[in-house]
Amino acid sequence: LSLGSASLIIRFFPDFKDPQKQHNGFLGFVFLLAFGGIGVGLVLYSFLKTPIILQLEELGFDLRLFEQYEFYIFGLAVFLLFNLILSNYSSLFGRIVIPRSLNDFVLTKLLIPVLVLLHLYTAYTGQQLFQWMLWAYAIAFLLLIFYVIQLKQFKVRPNFSFLKKVNLKEMGVYASYGV
């Protein structure tokens, strides 16, 4: 889904970095690339859904569960992508503790295991588990947005004229490794 957008952040930010020009809207470019990847992913999935389901069936997956939770799986993938983008972006400004703590500790090691245990030992259904997980990642996304805003680095208006000054071919090749 990312089209390499998360990997571009650290490598190419120095080319865009200019506090006076709001970093030429680098975060906006990365978001646009990520949205493009999500669009490509949706189109590919719509064309390849049948072969994917046939492959999963051959591997012994319970297709009822896949079809029941495919919306949640896609939603989680989108929030994971944008959380990674915002975490990587905030690290450019020497701020890694809060984003990494939120993603690596609060979500991964604390909240998700608690939700799974609640599902196993209470009356929570699988659908409720996925809903809570989706909410958890959505809240983390909003907190990361708020954090980047607090850093005064939420510059999302792309400067398209600046694209003529950067090596788009090099960016494309580099991003392709992250696909």
Side-chain angles (χ1 to χ4, degrees):
L1 290 177
S2 76
L3 288 183
S5 56
S7 63
L8 284 175
I9 292 172
I10 294 173
R11 167 65 180 85
F12 287 98
F13 180 73
D15 297 344
F16 286 79
K17 186 177 182 178
D18 185 346
Q20 308 302 356
K21 295 183 181 178
Q22 300 188 353
H23 306 305
N24 292 294
F26 183 66
L27 183 60
F29 285 121
V30 173
F31 279 168
L32 287 174
L33 184 60
F35 282 123
I38 291 166
V40 168
L42 284 172
V43 169
L44 284 174
Y45 180 69
S46 68
F47 285 116
L48 299 174
K49 184 175 180 177
T50 302
I52 290 170
I53 288 177
L54 290 173
Q55 184 65 37
L56 290 174
E57 187 175 47
E58 190 174 302
L59 294 171
F61 281 82
D62 186 348
L63 294 179
R64 291 176 300 117
L65 292 175
F66 177 76
E67 290 172 353
Q68 182 180 359
Y69 299 124
E70 68 184 325
F71 167 79
Y72 299 110
I73 293 168
F74 178 75
L76 286 171
V78 168
F79 281 121
L80 281 167
L81 169 61
F82 282 102
N83 288 355
L84 178 62
I85 287 170
L86 289 168
S87 292
N88 286 351
Y89 185 72
S90 65
S91 74
L92 296 170
F93 307 101
R95 305 297 183 158
I96 62 171
V97 174
I98 290 176
R100 296 291 185 225
S101 297
L102 183 62
N103 285 324
D104 298 341
F105 179 72
V106 174
L107 286 174
T108 309
K109 293 184 176 62
L110 186 66
L111 191 56
I112 300 302
V114 167
L115 291 173
V116 170
L117 289 172
L118 283 172
H119 169 64
L120 291 174
Y121 296 109
T122 65
Y124 279 110
T125 65
Q127 187 163 355
Q128 288 171 316
L129 170 68
F130 271 100
Q131 288 170 349
W132 281 108
M133 287 175 61
L134 198 57
W135 275 109
Y137 279 96
I139 291 168
F141 170 71
L142 293 175
L143 289 172
L144 287 168
I145 290 275
F146 179 72
Y147 185 66
V148 172
I149 290 170
Q150 288 299 107
L151 294 175
K152 297 184 180 17
Q153 299 300 331
F154 193 73
K155 321 283 191 208
V156 292
R157 180 172 289 154
N159 179 359
F160 290 103
S161 63
F162 184 77
L163 285 180
K164 297 173 188 165
K165 298 177 185 176
V166 296
N167 189 342
L168 292 177
K169 181 180 178 185
E170 182 184 355
M171 289 177 74
V173 169
Y174 190 83
S176 70
Y177 293 117
V179 176

